[in-house]
Every structure is written in structure tokens, then in C-alpha cells.
Amino acid sequence: PGAAAGAAMLSRLLKEHQARQSERKELQERRRREAIAAATSLTEALVDHLNVGVAQAYVNQRKLDREVRALQAQAAQFARHTAHWIAMVESFNQALKEIGDVENWARSMELDMRSVAAALHYVCKGQLPPPSS
């Protein structure tokens, strides 16, 4: 009787141990599934957050590209205007030089005409200095 009771007790302890071990395995498996689900959720949240940043960077890049193209067009137009202005200034400078040349020519002509007029005046009055020979 004592051996049978000991065997029954061992059998009962073994069954309890196996039941507890089975419960621990189930608990461990449930926690593993929960950890996997939490990790998956975290990964998805991080990817979504990064995607928002990437999408915003893409939108910003497109805006910058448009602004760069507009700035390049404005710079090209400004360069054309500047070249036109430079040509106008050079033309104006050339005209001023020509006016200066005409003014010098007119002075020279005026002096020559005064000399001719003075000579004619002396000739008309008979006051020509004797020719030097």
C-alpha cells in the first residue's frame, strides 16, 4: 500500500508538473505572439513616420526644382537685359566720342575761318604785310 500511494503521488506530481509546464509553454507562446505583434506594429509605425518624412522631402524637392527653373529663367532674362543695356551704354559712349570729335573739328574749322576772314579783311583794306621772300 505504501508503494502504491507513493507511485500515485509521484504520478500526480508528474501530471501537475506537466500541466504547469504546458501552461508556461502556452503563456510563453502567447507572449511571443504578443511581442511579434507589438514589434510589427512598431515597425509599421516607424515606416509610416519615415514615409511621411520622405514624402515631405519629395514635395520640398519638387518645389525647389520648380523654383530653381524659375530662377534660371529670370537670370537668363536679366542677362539678356543687361547685355542690351551694356550695348546701349557703349553706343551712347560712342556717340559722345563722335560729338567730341565734331566739336573739335568745328573749333578747328572756326579758327581756320577766322584766319581766312582776317586775311580777307587785310586784303580788302590793302593792309597786307609785305610778302617775305
Side-chain angles (χ1 to χ4, degrees):
M9 188 169 145
L10 272 175
S11 175
R12 185 179 51 84
L13 285 175
L14 180 62
K15 285 181 184 178
E16 287 176 4
H17 172 72
Q18 287 175 341
R20 280 194 308 266
Q21 196 171 16
S22 177
E23 287 175 11
R24 283 190 195 118
K25 282 184 182 179
E26 287 177 17
L27 179 63
Q28 186 176 8
E29 182 61 27
R30 185 171 41 92
R31 287 182 180 165
R32 187 183 69 77
R33 284 191 305 265
E34 289 173 356
I36 289 172
T40 301
S41 294
L42 176 63
T43 303
E44 288 173 357
L46 288 172
V47 167
D48 288 345
H49 179 70
L50 289 175
N51 283 342
V52 167
V54 168
Q56 186 61 46
Y58 178 73
V59 168
N60 290 344
Q61 182 64 41
R62 289 185 61 201
K63 285 181 185 177
L64 284 173
D65 289 343
R66 281 193 304 271
E67 289 178 16
V68 164
R69 283 192 297 275
L71 185 59
Q72 286 173 335
Q74 289 174 353
Q77 183 179 12
F78 180 71
R80 286 190 300 272
H81 286 304
T82 302
H84 179 69
W85 293 337
I86 288 171
M88 286 175 55
V89 167
E90 288 174 353
S91 174
F92 181 70
N93 282 339
Q94 185 61 36
L96 286 178
K97 287 178 187 177
E98 289 173 4
I99 288 173
D101 291 344
V102 169
E103 186 179 356
N104 287 336
W105 175 80
R107 278 195 205 118
S108 175
M109 289 300 293
E110 182 182 6
L111 288 174
D112 289 347
M113 290 297 120
R114 285 180 193 250
S115 296
V116 169
L120 288 174
H121 180 70
Y122 288 127
V123 167
C124 287
K125 293 211 174 194
Q127 300 176 350
L128 236 171
S132 57
S133 24

